[in-house]
Amino acid sequence: MSAAVLALALAGCGADDVPEDAPATQQATPEEKTTESATETPKPTDTAEEGAATDEVLDEVTYTLPGTEDEVTVGVLPLEVEGDVMTLRLVFTPDFASVSDDEPVSVWDMYPDNLYKFRPVLVDRENLKEYSPISDTGIDWTADAGQLRAVNGESVVWWGVYAAPEDDIDTFDLRLRDSLPEYTGIPVP
């Protein structure tokens, strides 16, 4: 049967023309298609809630944004490895003198040198490898740092999806920015 005849035949079929013994199917949303096509692992949801997951923080540092009195505390949550992917989650808590206590601050504004994308790097020093967020056609598998917001004293959780470790390692180091101290010894589950 030629392709034109097959296309014409299929065009005439409606939902009622599906045989009763055909397997049930469900249309995936565009977001589900992107996620499924890459790893079959759904992306974490963005969260912005007071005290979000702070009881699990492994390490945290507070830094002052250059040229301001604005401070940010960034905590690292345990890594989550599932199959071929690994999720890094960071807890951002602003203490900005430059805004009122009820004005939300985005993660984008909570780190210095925000001229570029926020792309934390996981470093495997033992095997001399670096892991950056997975990128699909130029779009990182990360929470949108411009959309995640918290008011002073409250926390917001940023997430990024990375490739799972290629080697059998116990820990990663984490570099948020070259100008900031690294977090060291983040355990790999």
Side-chain angles (χ1 to χ4, degrees), residues 23-68:
T25 60
Q26 180 177 351
Q27 282 292 90
T29 65
E31 182 180 64
E32 290 171 331
K33 289 178 184 177
T34 302
T35 302
E36 289 175 6
S37 66
T39 67
E40 299 294 327
T41 301
K43 294 181 184 179
T45 57
D46 298 345
T47 55
E49 40 187 75
E50 186 175 350
T54 54
D55 56 337
E56 298 177 38
V57 170
L58 300 172
D59 192 9
E60 67 181 16
V61 66
T62 299
Y63 57 86
T64 303
L65 296 177
T68 73

Side-chain angles (χ1 to χ4, degrees), residues 1 8 25 40-41 43 59 68 83 88 90-91 94 96 101 106 118 122 139 142 145 147 149 157 168 180 186:
M1 182 180 287
L8 186 58
T25 60
E40 299 294 327
T41 301
K43 294 181 184 179
D59 192 9
T68 73
L88 169 68
L90 303 173
V91 179
F96 275 40
D101 284 343
S106 71
F118 181 59
L122 290 166
I139 299 172
T142 62
Q147 297 298 316
R149 299 172 184 273
V157 177
D168 186 19
L180 296 174
I186 300 169

Side-chain angles (χ1 to χ4, degrees), residues 9-178:
L10 290 175
C13 293
D16 296 333
D17 298 330
V18 176
E20 289 180 23
D21 60 345
T25 60
Q26 180 177 351
Q27 282 292 90
T29 65
E31 182 180 64
E32 290 171 331
K33 289 178 184 177
T34 302
T35 302
E36 289 175 6
S37 66
T39 67
E40 299 294 327
T41 301
K43 294 181 184 179
T45 57
D46 298 345
T47 55
E49 40 187 75
E50 186 175 350
T54 54
D55 56 337
E56 298 177 38
V57 170
L58 300 172
D59 192 9
E60 67 181 16
V61 66
T62 299
Y63 57 86
T64 303
L65 296 177
T68 73
E69 294 181 17
D70 296 338
E71 291 187 340
V72 179
T73 300
V74 181
V76 180
L77 295 170
L79 292 169
E80 297 175 353
V81 178
E82 186 176 325
D84 294 332
V85 297
M86 170 174 56
T87 303
L88 169 68
R89 295 173 301 141
L90 303 173
V91 179
F92 284 82
T93 309
D95 185 11
F96 275 40
S98 64
V99 301
S100 67
D101 284 343
D102 60 348
E103 184 177 340
V105 180
S106 71
V107 169
W108 175 257
D109 293 325
M110 289 188 221
Y111 65 92
D113 187 25
N114 60 5
L115 300 175
Y116 304 101
K117 287 182 178 182
F118 181 59
R119 300 190 87 227
V121 175
L122 290 166
V123 181
D124 172 3
R125 296 216 185 278
E126 185 178 329
N127 297 291
L128 304 175
K129 294 180 181 177
E130 292 185 344
Y131 292 78
S132 295
I134 295 171
S135 179
D136 183 17
T137 64
I139 299 172
D140 289 344
W141 282 26
T142 62
D144 185 339
Q147 297 298 316
L148 288 175
R149 299 172 184 273
V151 297
N152 283 336
E154 292 187 1
S155 299
V156 64
V157 177
W158 174 93
W159 55 264
V161 179
Y162 297 70
E166 295 176 353
D167 304 289
D168 186 19
I169 59 173
D170 296 324
T171 63
F172 273 112
D173 293 339
L174 171 63
R175 184 172 59 241
L176 293 183
R177 279 280 188 240
D178 291 338

